[in-house]
Amino acid sequence: MDLTVWRTFVTVCRVGSLSAAAADLNHTQSAVSRQIAGLERQLGVPLVERHARGVRPTPAGEVFRLHALATLNEADRAVRAVRDVRDGVCDRPLAIGATPSLSAGIVPEAVRGLLEQAGPVRWSLLPGLSAQLHDRVVAGDLNVAVVTDAPPGLAVDPRVERRFLGLDEMVVVLPVGHPRAERRPVRIEALADETWVEDNDGSAALLRQHAARAGFSARIDLAAADLPGKLALVATGHAIALIPGVLTRTLRADVTTMPLVDPPTRGIYAITPRRAPHPRAVPLLDQLATAFASVRPAQVAHQPPESDAHATAPGTSRRHR
């Protein structure tokens, strides 16, 4: 169907008169009447009815008007977006995805840096698990996703570009006043008798793998729906948990962290679509790298001298290369 006719119909409904619509569109009244009649023939139903002061949409016409208006608005946005690209202006919203732990601090900090550097940018943030975010990037729903290679790992996909941002060391979070809470690093086997809580399968797998390498089976007796729920169970003394080091600066006041000797790590990556990348994606990746680097000193400050060994492959423990 011709969108010009749709626009004519929407205008007739808005002004309530064929003659007023003709004047608004710079058409003749007979041309407007022919367009409406042709549209009614195509759809097989009357779209407008006459009344004493002009015309109004029929029930079917009102339904069509709502859909037509949405379509015309989207078409107008499409034209503006193309013209902005032609003129070197970027007004495309920047859709960002990130895992919950990265949404809590690193990504907002990076976006702040982007806005300070590049000026106003419309943006949105969608939290999710790495596999879900990968699929959203491939589908075109996200321009950038910040993900991890924690179990089950990252898919190798030629449709996306992947940039490594760094290694994140996991830490143990405990309630304030926990008898085992120490600022010096401990070995995870010292916590073999503790009850643990986890909020997703990937995090639980990372804990189980690290505990198994230390010779014990982690007792994950509690499950939380999300990260805030996990921290709430820790804060109230029901369990302890393994959490990403990037969360250390954003935790609630009634929990504390304890570093581990030879902690498990996970690689942090930013992924973008290979085709039609967003113009602000590369500057955002640079800001993400800067934001991630800013949390590293806080993470390594509590590590013993032997933890200064060379970094290993993402998602592995240093002791188990």
Side-chain angles (χ1 to χ4, degrees):
M1 293 183 180
D2 185 356
L3 291 185
T4 300
V5 178
W6 289 30
R7 200 176 299 278
T8 297
F9 173 73
V10 168
T11 302
V12 168
C13 293
R14 176 172 56 82
V15 299
S17 162
L18 296 179
S19 59
D24 192 76
L25 296 168
N26 198 26
H27 294 336
T28 64
Q29 183 173 337
S30 60
V32 170
S33 296
R34 286 195 301 272
Q35 290 181 54
I36 298 301
L39 187 59
E40 289 177 325
R41 285 195 299 272
Q42 281 185 292
L43 295 174
V45 63
L47 296 177
V48 296
E49 58 187 5
R50 297 185 179 277
H51 61 91
R53 296 184 179 180
V55 297
R56 60 188 168 212
T58 64
E62 178 61 17
V63 170
F64 183 74
R65 183 190 71 82
L66 294 174
H67 288 282
L69 185 60
T71 299
L72 291 170
N73 287 339
E74 188 61 33
D76 289 341
R77 282 193 291 268
V79 171
R80 287 197 301 270
V82 170
R83 289 174 177 168
D84 286 342
V85 172
R86 179 197 65 191
D87 298 337
V89 177
C90 178
D91 192 39
R92 275 170 61 193
L94 179 62
I96 308 166
T99 63
S101 61
L102 297 166
S103 297
I106 296 299
V107 173
E109 184 176 340
V111 172
R112 181 178 63 183
L114 175 68
L115 298 178
E116 291 173 351
Q117 178 191 71
V121 178
R122 289 188 295 147
W123 64 284
S124 61
L125 177 59
L126 174 71
L129 299 181
S130 293
Q132 298 167 341
L133 297 173
H134 170 272
D135 292 344
R136 298 292 293 269
V137 170
V138 172
D141 299 331
L142 295 175
N143 304 118
V144 180
V146 192
V147 297
T148 83
D149 64 2
L154 287 178
V156 177
D157 192 328
R159 295 171 293 182
V160 302
E161 295 276 3
R162 188 161 73 182
R163 175 168 170 177
F164 178 60
L165 300 177
L167 284 176
D168 183 26
E169 295 180 352
M170 308 295 285
V171 298
V172 176
V173 61
L174 313 95
V176 170
H178 190 284
R180 291 188 181 274
E182 299 183 39
R183 293 189 66 81
R184 64 179 182 84
V186 302
R187 297 190 178 277
I188 197 168
E189 51 264 42
L191 306 172
D193 295 333
E194 294 288 336
T195 296
W196 299 79
V197 57
E198 278 301 346
D199 61 332
N200 65 75
D201 292 341
S203 182
L206 197 63
L207 172 59
R208 288 192 179 98
Q209 290 172 6
H210 197 63
R213 290 167 181 157
F216 74 98
S217 178
R219 196 171 72 240
I220 306 176
D221 289 349
L222 295 175
D226 51 26
L227 186 58
K230 179 177 178 175
L231 294 174
L233 287 170
V234 171
T236 49
H238 296 291
I240 66 173
L242 192 68
I243 65 166
V246 293
L247 283 175
T248 302
R249 297 192 303 184
T250 63
L251 292 176
R252 49 192 289 172
D254 50 1
V255 299
T256 187
T257 60
M258 181 171 63
L260 291 170
V261 174
D262 188 25
T265 63
R266 59 181 194 157
I268 307 299
Y269 296 83
I271 59 174
T272 55
R274 286 188 183 274
R275 298 183 61 182
H278 193 284
R280 297 286 190 264
V282 171
L284 177 61
L285 298 189
D286 294 337
Q287 293 295 331
L288 286 166
T290 299
F292 182 76
S294 72
V295 306
R296 294 292 297 152
Q299 286 184 240
V300 301
H302 301 303
Q303 297 300 312
E306 61 266 29
S307 69
D308 292 334
H310 296 296
T312 61
T316 64
S317 165
R318 289 194 179 99
R319 181 169 51 188
H320 304 281
R321 298 188 181 185

